[in-house]
């Protein structure tokens, strides 16, 4: 029979790079917010630049991500219907609320951080710059109830980062996406992987945004831990699904993008940097961010191309 | 008793002539290049001169445990009173989540409406008027049976009682209402 | 619910323009007064008519909403169709509303084949054609005008022009398709109106026909029904067709089918399995046939056909076991070899050996009014259509260019209504036996249908006038001097036509909607108006088509209302009539031969060819490195007519070259490779389709692709134009030969 008979096969890729980038950006947003808010909440004399970078990055990333998501809709202008028609059984429906609240909180938090910077700048003339910033942010935190926003936002940031994993893992008919934790049926795997990746990429992006800073050792150490966990998770994934998912064009994306660029190289760079007290934030964090994007693309495409 | 519309496809009788494919396009005003149903060739398999080929009509399987309904964020995809999976295009935003969930590749985004689209068993245009779906009535090979599976006297119920039929991709537990009889083709 | 459906319709109808609005949903619709106004009640009607997506004229039910055709179903009032129609029939609206249809008469302004035309009024077109035809007539005589059509209801009107001019050279396309079968039947039964009762047969041997891809809805359904009732089917075909997939495939060596059939006869005689009583009572010349097949043993046939001796013997026995409800199918496109008609005769002779005439599951003579009149008990059901009388035409001054009708030559057997259409290009180029200078073409595409596309194009360049009437700018229209736009079948009414089978049946094509393009016209009107312009008004004595239909129906007493309400007429209360179903010895008073017997030995064939019973002729087989090129139909296209219809083009826009996996491996060819297919004189590119479903010495492609008219923008240049590779070669009786082309294949 001629191949054309009965119309060709449909394009198996339903969610393309727009959705992959959206999932990546949502992860960045969650991770960045957590970096900023946890610094803000738990670290005395927290790094103001880190807080500011994370606080500003989070809303930008999530809004750009949501923009891509809306653009990818069949009817972009009808996105508001997602809010008025709810299906509690649908991960996406729940996710809509988590992300919406997170977006609002991240904007509010960014605003609070931004206003405190302005307050700070007024006293800049009198006092030294670095000391002043810390004081200013601290002052604003107590004044504006920023702690509450940071705390609530952190919860929803966690939800957002995890949600991106749940979104895919809930597709029970997609054997790759719905892969569960080895030995524990019912506990999906992707939310863990995406959460760790979100924290890692969010932290990395925040550090990139923070620019040169005093002492980032603690962040670098956390990053190393996250990368190691992620390596373990990716290894588990590789071992628990069929080899076909890592074949073809996606083999390059996986081994080069996810494994080499995203995990091995930054790990080596970070270890080297920390041990030698060298500032390798820029190359290391850039690689982590690129790797995070590669991971989302890989997961989104692999699940659809191989069924 | 509630209705349970079901279809039986006797693959032995399907000629792959695509009459159903085209009938569906006009009955449902499906845009150019898009299909609610298609019948691709499976094969040929075997070696010369012992060769086999058959055609498999593919469309929404009208699952009773439909992954698309489960994931739909707006409840646009739903079960109607007769147990059919339908899409309320007013509620659909075109997020394509249902398409990623459907193991049968039965759904697409309608180019003209931007909403998810798929086979409805011609519910609005024919079933509600007591007619069978357009694909069934135009089937040249007479391969398609259609009716209420809950009515033991119906064509489909009687056929399924006396023949071995299968559902596609049973491993997903979707409980389709479209049943395939592969006798004589595999 | 109602409104939502309407909205979908509106969106569909207006294409992309409303897409942007759709996002805003119902709110926009409410604000848009145009849409709100149109939500008024929809006017719906069903018009019963007949299809013309191929030439079988299947009865259809056309659903019209607000003056637009929205859906076409099979006519549920016809039990042979039961509401069923094929993919092509379903696609009718896609043709009807195709913006690529020809919309106005056109006269060429550039070089022939440049595609440059100017739009003209109908009157200008008629005047131009009339002047040119008169000039040809004066200089060369009326016989210098040739006319070809596919064959259909338009012929009555179209051919009136040629007959009035005094040309004998009127051709149908049949020589490129079923003519050998027609001749086989004519010379055996005295008529070609012999049908098979597929639905009730218990055993079906098919020789190269492909019911499931070359779809004839009533017959395809009948075969499908038989199969579902357990009928065994054996398919002789070098290619694994869809039909072969539903039965036992015997990949016969090309051009050797006659050996298989003769060996069946040999076994039936040898094992005394044939119906001796039948042969004795109803036939003449069996002894000569028996002598002819005496040495055509299964062992010999196995050598010829590549089908094992055991299989041949088994099939013969199985046929005999199921007789008289077993049949060997007589074929559809019967252009395999130069003497294809003898294969068809042989098939019918073996059928008669099974005694399967006028019984359920066998062959029968079509029970039209004329035939029923010969059977006293049934005469009451015969309602003969009235003739539409016209004055006698002038007698042509010369014989036909193809020798049709010449006594003592094989062409004496060629039906005068068909002729050897493949002769035209040869005659134009050589001027022999006399020049052809003007060519009128109606709904036919010789550039793609008469073998050797390049030769036809060269011939066209030598003409004084080429006029083509079609719905699309076909490859021939593109190279014409005048192009006339016919409206589609959905926009016209035609005369009543006879679709009798086991009972009489009349069907009427009825206009469903007004012409979508106002300047397109039905054939009857075009040729009546052209005729009047040329001064031949007396040959078109009817006012219009309704008047014509009235004259047809007048003597029958059948009301036109019957067609409006049901789309067809059959005599009330008449059951399918087989002469011999109750009494195996019933006289066959309906037989149309002079001898009143079934002519196994035919005097006419003896006189014409010297072979009164079929004689086996071995044909060349492909040599080392060569393949026999065969071609066939696909269920979603008709000949070369539908490849540009949007919906059908979408379903299948290109063909491939099927090549056996082992043969391909030797040549290093893989599926998807671009190939050069070489027939010596011409080459064509094609895409490889490596398959187990074809003989190693054969390649195959679906016909009608690779069209060369750039104004068929969808189909243009897509796929293989097999017609470029097949030479314009005629068989003994004028049939085109399409299965004797050997090609070489290499990677591009």
């Amino acid at each position: 029979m001629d191949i054309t008979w009965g119309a060709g096969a449909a394009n198996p890729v339903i969610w393309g790079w727009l959705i992959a980038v959206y999932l990546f950006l949502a992860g960045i947003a969650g991770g960045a917010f957590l970096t900023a808010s946890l610094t803000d909440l738990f670290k005395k004399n927290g790094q103001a630049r880190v807080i500011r970078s994370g606080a500003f990055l989070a809303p930008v990333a999530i809004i750009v991500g949501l923009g891509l998501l809306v653009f990818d809709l069949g009817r972009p202008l009808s996105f508001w219907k997602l809010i008025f028609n709810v299906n509690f059984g649908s991960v996406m429906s729940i996710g809509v609320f988590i992300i919406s609240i997170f977006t609002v909180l991240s904007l509010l938090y960014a605003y609070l951080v931004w206003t405190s910077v302005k307050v700070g700048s007024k006293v800049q003339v009198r006092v030294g710059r670095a000391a002043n910033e810390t004081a200013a942010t601290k002052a604003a935190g107590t004044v504006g109830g920023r702690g509450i926003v940071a705390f609530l936002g952190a919860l929803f940031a966690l939800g957002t980062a995890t949600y991106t994993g749940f979104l895919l893992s809930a597709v029970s008919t997609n054997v790759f996406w719905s892969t569960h934790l080895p030995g524990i049926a019912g506990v999906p795997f992707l939310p863990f992987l995406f959460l760790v990746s979100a924290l890692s990429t969010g932290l990395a992006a925040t550090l990139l945004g923070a620019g040169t800073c005093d002492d980032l050792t603690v962040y670098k150490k956390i990053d190393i831990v996250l990368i190691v966990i992620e390596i373990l998770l990716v290894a588990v994934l590789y071992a628990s699904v069929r080899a076909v998912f890592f074949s073809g064009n996606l083999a390059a994306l996986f081994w080069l993008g996810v494994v080499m660029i995203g995990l091995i190289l930054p790990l080596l760079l970070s270890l080297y940097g920390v041990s030698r007290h060298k500032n390798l934030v820029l190359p290391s964090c850039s690689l982590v961010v690129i790797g995070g994007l590669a991971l989302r693309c890989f997961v989104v495409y692999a699940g659809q191309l191989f069924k | 008793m509630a209705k349970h519309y079901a279809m039986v496809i006797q693959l032995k009788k399907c000629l792959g002539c695509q009459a159903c494919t085209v009938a569906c396009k006009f009955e449902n005003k499906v845009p150019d290049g898009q299909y609610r149903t298609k019948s691709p060739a499976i094969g040929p398999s075997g070696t010369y001169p012992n060769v086999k080929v058959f055609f498999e009509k593919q469309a929404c399987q009208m699952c009773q445990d439909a992954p698309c309904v489960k994931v739909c964020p707006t409840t646009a995809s739903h079960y109607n009173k007769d147990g059919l999976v339908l899409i309320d295009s007013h509620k659909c935003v075109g997020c394509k989540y249902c398409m990623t969930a459907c193991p049968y590749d039965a759904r697409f985004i309608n180019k003209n409406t931007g909403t998810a689209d798929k086979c409805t068993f011609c519910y609005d245009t024919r079933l509600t008027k007591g007619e069978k779906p357009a694909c069934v009535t135009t089937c040249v090979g007479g391969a398609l049976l259609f009716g209420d599976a809950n009515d033991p006297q119906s064509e489909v119920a009687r056929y399924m009682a006396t023949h071995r039929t299968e559902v596609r991709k049973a491993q997903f537990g979707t409980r389709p209402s479209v049943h395939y009889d592969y006798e004589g083709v595999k | 619910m109602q409104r939502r459906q309407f909205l979908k319709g509106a969106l569909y109808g207006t294409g992309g323009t409303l897409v942007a609005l759709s996002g805003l949903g119902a709110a926009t619709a409410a604000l848009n007064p145009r849409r709100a106004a149109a939500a008024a009640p929809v006017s719906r009607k069903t018009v019963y008519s007949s299809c013309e997506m191929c030439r079988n004229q299947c009865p259809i039910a056309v659903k019209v909403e607000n003056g637009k055709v929205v859906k076409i179903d099979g006519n549920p009032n016809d039990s042979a169709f039961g509401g069923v129609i094929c993919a092509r029939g379903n696609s009718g609206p896609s043709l009807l509303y195709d913006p690529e249809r020809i919309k106005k008469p056109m006269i060429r302004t550039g070089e022939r084949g440049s595609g440059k035309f100017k739009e003209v009024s109908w009157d200008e077109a008629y005047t131009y054609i009339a002047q040119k035809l008169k000039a040809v007539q004066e200089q060369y005589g009326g016989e210098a005008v040739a006319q070809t059509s596919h064959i259909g209801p338009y012929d009555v009107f179209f051919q009136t022009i040629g007959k009035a001019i005094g040309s004998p050279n009127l051709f149908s396309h049949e020589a490129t398709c079923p003519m050998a079968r027609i001749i086989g039947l004519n010379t055996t039964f005295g008529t070609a109106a012999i049908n098979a009762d597929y639905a009730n047969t218990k055993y079906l041997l098919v020789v190269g026909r492909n019911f499931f891809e070359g779809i004839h809805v009533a017959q395809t359904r009948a075969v499908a029904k038989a199969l579902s009732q357990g009928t065994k089917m054996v398919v002789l075909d070098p290619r694994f067709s869809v039909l072969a997939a539903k039965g036992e495939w015997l990949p016969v060596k090309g051009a050797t089918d006659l050996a298989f059939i003769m060996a069946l006869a040999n076994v039936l005689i040898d094992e005394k399995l044939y119906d001796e009583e039948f042969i004795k009572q109803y036939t003449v010349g069996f002894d000569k046939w028996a002598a002819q097949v005496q040495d055509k043993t299964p062992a010999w046939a196995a050598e010829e056909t590549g089908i094992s001796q055991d299989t041949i013997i088994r099939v013969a026995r199985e046929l005999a076991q199921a007789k008289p409800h077993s049949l060997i199918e007589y074929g559809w496109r019967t252009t395999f070899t130069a003497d294809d008609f003898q294969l068809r005769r042989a098939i019918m002779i073996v059928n008669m050996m099974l005694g399967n005439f006028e019984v359920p599951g066998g062959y029968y003579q079509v029970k039209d009014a004329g035939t029923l009149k010969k059977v006293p008990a049934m005469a009451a059901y015969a309602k003969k259509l009235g003739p539409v009388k016209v004055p006698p035409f002038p007698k042509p001054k010369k014989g036909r260019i193809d020798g049709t009708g010449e006594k003592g030559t094989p062409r004496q057997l060629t039906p005068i209504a068909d002729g050897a259409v493949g002769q035209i290009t040869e005659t134009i180029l050589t001027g022999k036996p006399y020049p052809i200078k003007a060519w009128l073409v109606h709904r036919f595409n010789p550039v793609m249908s008469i073998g050797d596309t390049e030769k036809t194009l060269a011939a066209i360049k030598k003409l004084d006038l080429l006029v083509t009437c079609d719905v699309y700018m076909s490859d021939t229209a593109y190279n014409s001097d005048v192009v006339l736009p016919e409206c589609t079948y959905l926009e016209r009414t035609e005369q009543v036509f006879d679709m009798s089978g086991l009972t009489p049946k009349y069907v009427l094509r009825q206009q469903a909607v007004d012409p979508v393009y106002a300047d397109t016209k039905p054939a009857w009107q075009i040729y009546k108006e052209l005729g009047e312009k040329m001064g031949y008004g007396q040959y078109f004595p009817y006012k219009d088509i309704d008047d014509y239909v009235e004259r047809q129906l007048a003597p029958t007493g059948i009301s036109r209302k019957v067609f409006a309400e049901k789309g067809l007429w059959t005599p009330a209360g008449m059951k399918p009539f087989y002469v011999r179903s109750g009494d195996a010895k019933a006289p066959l008073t309906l037989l149309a031969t002079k001898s009143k017997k079934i002519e196994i030995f035919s005097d006419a064939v003896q006189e014409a060819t010297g072979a009164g019973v079929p004689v086996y002729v071995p044909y060349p087989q492909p040599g080392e490195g060569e393949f026999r090129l065969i071609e066939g139909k696909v269920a979603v296209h008709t000949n070369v007519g539908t490849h540009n219809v949007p919906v059908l083009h979408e379903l299948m826009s290109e063909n491939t070259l099927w090549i056996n996996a082992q043969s391909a491996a030797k040549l290093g060819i893989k599926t998807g490779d671009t190939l050069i297919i070489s027939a010596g004189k011409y080459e064509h590119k094609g895409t490889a389709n490596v398959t187990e479903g074809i003989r190693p010495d054969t390649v195959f492609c679906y016909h009608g692709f690779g069209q060369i008219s750039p104004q068929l923008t969808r189909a243009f240049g897509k796929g293989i134009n097999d017609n470029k590779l097949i030479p314009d070669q005629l068989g003994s009786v004028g049939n085109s030969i399409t299965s004797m082309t050997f090609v070489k294949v290499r990677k591009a």
Side-chain angles (χ1 to χ4, degrees), chain C residues 314-336:
Chain C
R314 174 171 55 81
V315 170
R317 288 175 184 164
E318 286 170 352
L319 275 166
Q321 205 163 21
K323 78 172 190 301
H325 309 295
S326 56
L327 67 84
I328 309 173
E329 218 285 325
Y330 55 22
W332 187 262
R333 187 177 57 113
T334 53
T335 55
F336 297 179

Side-chain angles (χ1 to χ4, degrees), chain A residues 277-306:
Chain A
H277 301 286
K278 288 207 170 156
N279 193 350
L280 296 173
V281 166
L282 189 68
S284 169
C285 289
S286 301
L287 290 173
V288 166
V289 171
I290 294 168
L293 180 58
L295 177 71
R296 300 311 190 289
C297 287
F298 169 72
V299 171
V300 166
Y301 280 90
Q304 296 176 89
L305 287 175
F306 308 106

Side-chain angles (χ1 to χ4, degrees), chain C residues 78-124:
Chain C
D78 188 332
S79 59
F81 291 83
V84 167
I85 196 74
C86 74
R88 297 163 299 164
N90 268 295
S91 301
S94 188
L95 166 67
L96 176 63
Y97 298 109
D98 185 358
E100 276 193 24
R101 277 175 53 190
I102 319 172
K103 304 179 189 79
K104 296 209 183 262
M106 282 180 282
I107 293 177
R108 179 171 61 86
T109 55
E111 289 286 297
R112 272 213 181 92
S114 64
K116 285 182 184 141
F117 293 92
K118 62 172 179 190
E119 291 183 351
V120 296
S121 70
W122 278 98
D123 195 62
E124 277 174 88

Side-chain angles (χ1 to χ4, degrees), chain C residues 136-158:
Chain C
V136 167
Q137 210 178 346
E138 275 160 27
Q139 198 179 342
Y140 303 97
E143 65 274 11
V145 179
Q147 273 194 292
T148 56
S149 64
H150 187 274
I151 199 172
Y154 37 72
D155 284 331
V156 166
F157 312 104
F158 175 57

Side-chain angles (χ1 to χ4, degrees), chain A residues 123-165:
Chain A
V123 288
Q124 199 171 354
V125 193
R126 279 185 280 134
V127 204
R129 195 180 168 219
N132 157 43
E133 278 183 18
T134 314
T137 30
K138 277 283 161 201
T142 36
V143 174
R146 200 167 93 189
I148 298 165
V149 176
F151 175 72
L152 284 176
L155 287 182
F156 280 92
L158 207 59
T160 297
T162 324
Y163 158 71
T164 58

Side-chain angles (χ1 to χ4, degrees), chain A residues 1-8 74-78 80-81, chain C residues 22 24 213 240 242 634-635 651-652 654-656 658 689 702:
Chain A
M1 310 305 111
D2 275 38
I3 298 153
T4 36
W5 256 62
R75 292 205 297 169
L77 296 177
S78 68
W80 51 270
K81 291 183 181 176
Chain C
S22 67
L24 298 171
E213 292 180 271
F240 184 62
V242 174
V634 66
L651 276 177
M652 186 175 177
E654 218 166 317
N655 60 354
T656 58
W658 294 31
N689 181 7
Y702 286 110

Side-chain angles (χ1 to χ4, degrees), chain A residues 35-57:
Chain A
T35 305
S37 60
L38 294 182
T39 302
D40 202 1
L41 288 170
F42 294 112
K43 201 159 176 264
K44 283 175 191 166
N45 302 321
Q47 296 277 7
R49 282 169 155 267
V50 171
I51 293 171
R52 257 161 55 196
S53 170
F56 294 163
L57 184 59

